């Protein structure tokens, strides 16, 4: 019998040698600089300045030993995923360049791209949960995330304990203890602490530092990972890994994609947290397709410009709305009225974002009149695009949330959610003014 072929001797050439240089003369390059070329070498693609879109379902191995070595990565026999390109359900050049660049924004070691934000979130949860486990989560969550935990994970014996976004350290200690007792009673463990901050659509912030301290006190630093949906403020205005989160997830459909022309998601964090998620993505599929990954690379080149401008516009629009007689209040992070929320904001956020809620005096009928009279702002769900969007969460995105729960979470009938784009701020103010006149 001959010996098995050794797959360790010939490293496969990559698109670019890793780790790639991200400094010049000791200067750490900024993400906005790295978005133009990081992870891609034109020499390997006929000099093409931009990466081609690699439309292929599978990749040819240079020899059989390389194929074996790559599959050792895919199957987890070698940690850290495949060293080379294998099959488009597992990896691809466009997705790998995208993942390298996404990780830079979050200050993460590794990132994984998905075909939607919900694919990212659900694969993440499935990767960590087992029968009898408990997911601890903040509230409110995006309705589909909350529904997935409550209605889908429960089918597999996974339960949850939730807490309001602004919970204090003492309250969080009690939540961890309750979750631990619940898990033990079910014969499982607390498998994940899942946060959304700010929460959709109220903009309530979670104290990530307090959550980290409570997790460490209850379970130690090697306890359940803290994952956070950073869709509303990321990647520019909040970097939750700096506050002690372990995993960051996104709907890239929003600010990162930024043009309302694609649907995608991502998860980032240390390799040790990404490995189980990558393994499940390899099995289930759900990786972003090459065309979408390419579009996201295009989008990442301007994400800072777009978010900066949208943030400035939102500040001007909110200044106008705040003093309007038909406006009861605003859920805007630049005008927080609660001292605890302000303290969290000061410690966690670098900007107030451009998505906020406006409470119109009245109820659903008044909100509908306002929405129906907007001309520049489009009446559509979603956020983070170049164009301004407005919607009514209670009757649209959060309609599936039971009425009592909606009230508990502050998703009132007179709440309109607005995502400000990059139009001229004064034009937007004129539009909101005339629509409010019609109320
Ligand atoms: N997380 C948040 C905060 C969202 O607002 C959304 C979508 O609106 C999602 C996740 C889901 O993302 P996707 O629509 O890309 O699946």
């Amino acid at each position: 019998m001959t010996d098995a072929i050794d797959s360790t001797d010939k490293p496969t050439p990559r698109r670019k040698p890793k780790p790639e240089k991200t400094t010049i003369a000791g200067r750490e390059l900024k993400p906005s600089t790295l978005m133009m070329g990081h992870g891609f070498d034109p020499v390997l693609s006929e000099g093409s300045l931009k990466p081609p879109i690699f439309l292929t379902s599978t990749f040819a191995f240079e020899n059989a030993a390389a194929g074996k070595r790559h599959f050792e990565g895919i199957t987890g026999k070698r940690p850290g995923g495949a060293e080379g390109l294998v099959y488009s359900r597992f990896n691809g050049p466009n997705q790998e360049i995208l993942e390298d660049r996404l990780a830079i924004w979050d200050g993460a070691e590794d990132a994984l791209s998905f075909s939607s934000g919900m694919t990212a979130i659900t694969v993440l949860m499935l990767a960590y949960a087992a029968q009898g486990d408990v997911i601890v989560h903040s509230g409110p969550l995006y309705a589909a995330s909350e529904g997935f935990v409550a209605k889908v994970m429960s089918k597999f014996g996974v339960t949850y304990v939730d807490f309001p976004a602004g919970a204090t350290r003492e309250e969080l200690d009690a939540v961890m203890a309750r979750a631990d007792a619940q898990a033990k009673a079910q014969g499982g463990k607390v498998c994940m602490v899942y946060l959304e901050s700010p929460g959709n659509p109220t903009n309530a912030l979670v104290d990530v530092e307090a959550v980290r301290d409570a997790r460490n006190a209850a379970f130690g630093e090697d306890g359940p990972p803290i994952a956070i949906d950073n869709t509303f403020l990321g990647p520019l205005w909040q970097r939750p890994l700096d506050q002690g989160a372990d995993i960051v997830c996104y709907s890239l459909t929003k600010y990162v994609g930024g043009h309302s022309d694609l649907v995608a998601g991502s998860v980032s964090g240390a390799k040790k947290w990404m490995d189980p998620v990558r393994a499940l993505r390899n099995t289930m599929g759900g990786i972003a397709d090459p065309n979408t990954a390419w579009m996201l690379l295009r989008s990442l080149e301007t994400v800072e410009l777009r978010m900066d401008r949208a943030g400035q516009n939102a500040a001007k629009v909110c200044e106008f709305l705040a003093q309007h007689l038909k406006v009861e209040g605003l859920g805007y992070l630049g005008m927080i009225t609660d001292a605890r929320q302000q303290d969290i904001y000061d410690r966690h956020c670098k900007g107030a974002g451009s998505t906020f809620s406006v409470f119109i005096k009245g109820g659903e009928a008044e909100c509908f009149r306002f929405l129906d009279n907007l001309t520049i702002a489009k009446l559509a769900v979603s956020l983070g695009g170049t164009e301004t969007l407005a919607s009514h969460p209670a009757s649209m995105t959060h309609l599936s949330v039971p009425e009592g729960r909606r009230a508990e979470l502050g998703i009132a009938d007179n709440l309109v959610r607005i995502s400000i784009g990059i139009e001229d701020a004064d034009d937007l103010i004129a539009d909101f003014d005339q629509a409010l006149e019609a109320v």
Side-chain angles (χ1 to χ4, degrees):
M1 210 176 97
T2 53
D3 286 343
I5 298 290
D6 181 4
S7 64
T8 59
D9 52 352
K10 281 189 194 139
T12 311
R14 299 285 297 167
R15 317 172 255 106
K16 238 181 172 184
K18 287 197 174 192
E20 209 180 312
K21 222 173 145 214
T22 56
T23 55
I24 289 181
R27 181 187 160 78
E28 191 79 25
L29 298 178
K30 293 281 190 296
S32 52
T33 303
L34 293 169
M35 289 310 107
M36 308 311 163
H38 184 78
F40 174 63
D41 183 353
V43 171
L44 299 175
S45 292
E46 310 274 4
S48 176
L49 183 70
K50 295 292 177 193
I53 301 178
F54 289 86
L55 291 177
T56 183
S57 60
T58 194
F59 296 86
F61 304 133
E62 60 270 38
N63 54 48
K68 178 179 175 186
R69 189 168 57 246
H70 297 344
F71 266 92
E72 286 168 350
I74 292 292
T75 53
K77 288 201 165 87
R78 250 176 229 274
E83 269 176 43
L85 298 165
V86 176
Y87 181 67
S88 295
R89 196 178 78 239
F90 307 145
N91 57 13
N94 299 105
Q95 295 91 329
E96 288 197 346
I97 301 167
L98 170 66
E99 289 164 357
D100 287 354
R101 293 188 192 174
L102 288 171
I104 286 172
W105 281 104
D106 288 327
E109 201 182 356
D110 200 4
L112 296 166
S113 65
F114 288 87
S115 59
S116 75
M118 282 317 300
T119 315
I121 292 164
T122 55
V123 172
L124 169 69
M125 288 181 179
L126 287 169
Y128 279 94
Q131 194 175 6
D133 284 355
V134 172
I135 294 175
V136 175
H137 76 78
S138 62
L141 296 181
Y142 176 58
S145 307
E146 189 155 319
F148 185 77
V149 174
K151 295 183 196 144
V152 181
M153 295 305 280
S154 60
K155 290 201 286 189
F156 306 103
V158 177
T159 63
Y160 67 90
V161 170
D162 64 338
F163 64 89
T168 61
R169 171 67 203 280
E170 294 69 39
E171 288 163 342
L172 289 163
D173 284 341
V175 166
M176 298 295 169
R178 187 148 58 88
D180 192 35
Q182 187 168 311
K184 283 183 176 134
Q186 293 171 183
K189 62 187 181 309
V190 175
C191 64
M192 174 170 284
V193 182
Y194 182 83
L195 314 175
E196 188 175 303
S197 183
N200 182 358
T202 58
N203 266 348
L205 293 168
V206 178
D207 189 339
V208 181
E209 289 172 336
V211 171
R212 172 203 58 199
D213 293 344
R215 185 274 314 264
N216 289 353
F219 307 104
E221 285 181 25
D222 292 329
I226 298 168
I228 177 166
D229 184 333
N230 197 32
T231 298
F232 267 45
L233 289 184
L236 203 65
W237 296 309
Q238 182 171 256
R239 274 198 5 164
L241 296 186
D242 296 345
Q243 278 87 46
D246 301 300
I247 298 168
V248 181
C249 52
Y250 286 97
S251 167
L252 301 176
T253 315
K254 311 297 193 287
Y255 287 99
V256 176
H259 297 71
S260 305
D261 55 6
L262 60 86
V263 174
S266 70
V267 172
S268 55
K271 278 195 193 303
K272 72 163 180 174
W273 296 120
M274 293 299 100
D275 280 346
V277 187
R278 187 194 318 273
L280 191 59
R281 187 185 69 172
N282 285 346
T283 303
M284 292 177 64
I287 190 170
D289 68 87
N291 187 66
T292 301
W294 188 95
M295 300 264 283
L296 284 160
L297 291 175
R298 175 279 321 256
S299 293
L300 280 173
E301 295 183 2
T302 58
V303 69
E304 188 173 278
L305 282 179
R306 286 183 286 103
M307 291 182 78
D308 266 345
R309 164 78 173 215
Q312 287 162 19
N313 278 357
K316 288 186 195 160
V317 167
C318 285
E319 212 172 292
F320 163 78
L321 291 173
Q323 49 74 45
H324 201 286
L325 291 176
K326 290 184 181 166
V327 171
E328 197 173 275
L330 288 177
Y332 169 56
L333 291 175
M335 296 176 178
I336 296 174
T337 51
D338 174 87
R340 165 128 182 92
Q341 285 288 304
Q342 186 65 48
D343 172 47
I344 302 173
Y345 177 84
D346 292 342
R347 285 184 284 118
H348 290 28
C349 307
K350 297 191 182 102
S354 81
T355 301
F356 55 88
S357 40
V358 48
F359 297 88
I360 307 282
K361 280 185 186 156
E364 186 185 275
E366 285 73 15
C367 290
F368 280 17
R369 260 198 297 282
F370 171 65
L371 291 168
D372 287 341
N373 280 282
L374 289 169
T375 56
I376 299 174
K378 306 285 185 299
L379 173 51
V381 297
S382 201
L383 59 116
T386 47
E387 66 289 291
T388 296
L389 301 180
S391 63
H392 185 249
S395 66
M396 297 170 192
T397 44
H398 291 68
L399 185 63
S400 61
V401 179
E403 215 174 313
R405 173 89 179 138
R406 280 209 299 269
E408 209 177 285
L409 297 172
I411 306 168
D413 280 347
N414 70 337
L415 186 163
V416 168
R417 191 183 74 181
I418 295 177
S419 163
I420 296 289
I422 62 170
E423 304 94 336
D424 180 84
D426 292 328
D427 287 348
L428 290 173
I429 289 171
D431 192 26
F432 289 127
D433 196 19
Q434 63 80 28
L436 282 168
E437 279 310 307
V439 174

